[in-house]
Amino acid sequence: MKSRPPVKGPLGNELSKVIPGNYAASPNTPEGAPLWRAAKGVYKKNRAVFSGTPFSVPEDNYELPYGGTYCRYYSREVYQQYGYRNVQCDEYPFASTEQGALKDKINYSILGVREAHNQAHGDALKAFYGHYRLLDYDPVNTITKVSDSPFWVKIEN
């Protein structure tokens, strides 16, 4: 049986997500844990958790047979409003972090956003990594075996 995303809610039985990297959260909580740049190759693996896999949700009469994304299921209205070629899937924690979707497979957030917005966000994140010299994590050559450059972000609704 293929895995598939939870039925689009609310159903009343949803659990709160616990997503790291929130600078406003207490550092002794899972939400207050830092993010760090991922090792080479992790970006594609993080994206593959929710993208490029055929899936269906029979309970919601939804099927996407040709390698779509969970975003197309959860953000249907955005794709319909702006057109499928003008919308991309944005995720948090970022696919470029070790805490991306691959690590947990549940505690991450995705949303279909306009392509220009997503590209501008990606450019800003690259600039942030460059400005603060946050290098790709190298688990073999890092003495502490965790990233030497933890970071947090401000979570906005």
Side-chain angles (χ1 to χ4, degrees):
M1 179 171 155
K2 292 181 182 178
S3 63
R4 52 181 205 248
V7 175
K8 189 174 179 179
L11 302 175
N13 62 351
E14 292 84 8
L15 299 174
S16 296
K17 292 190 175 203
V18 179
I19 302 175
N22 185 351
Y23 90 103
S26 172
N28 298 328
T29 65
E31 297 90 346
L35 300 175
W36 61 81
R37 286 282 306 264
K40 292 199 181 300
V42 171
Y43 176 88
K44 287 182 181 179
K45 292 176 184 177
N46 276 331
R47 299 276 305 165
V49 170
F50 58 85
S51 179
T53 304
F55 68 91
S56 65
V57 184
E59 302 88 346
D60 205 7
N61 196 27
Y62 186 83
E63 185 166 342
L64 190 57
Y66 299 107
T69 69
Y70 287 8
C71 277
R72 287 189 181 189
Y73 172 63
Y74 289 112
S75 303
R76 257 184 275 191
E77 311 77 31
V78 176
Y79 282 88
Q80 290 168 349
Q81 180 179 358
Y82 296 108
Y84 286 86
R85 292 179 187 218
N86 299 318
V87 177
Q88 294 180 339
C89 195
D90 198 11
E91 73 284 338
Y92 182 82
F94 316 115
S96 59
T97 66
E98 286 289 323
Q99 293 72 25
L102 178 67
K103 180 173 176 123
D104 192 296
K105 295 193 171 92
I106 292 175
N107 290 310
Y108 63 90
S109 176
I110 57 173
L111 181 66
V113 298
R114 294 176 74 177
E115 180 181 26
H117 175 89
N118 196 34
Q119 288 177 349
H121 174 259
D123 290 345
L125 185 59
K126 287 177 193 171
F128 171 79
Y129 287 155
H131 181 78
Y132 291 101
R133 298 182 182 148
L134 300 176
L135 304 174
D136 290 342
Y137 173 51
D138 182 354
V140 174
N141 295 312
T142 303
I143 295 170
T144 60
K145 298 301 178 200
V146 296
S147 173
D148 291 330
S149 302
F151 67 96
W152 295 260
V153 296
K154 184 175 182 181
I155 306 296
E156 298 278 345
N157 288 333

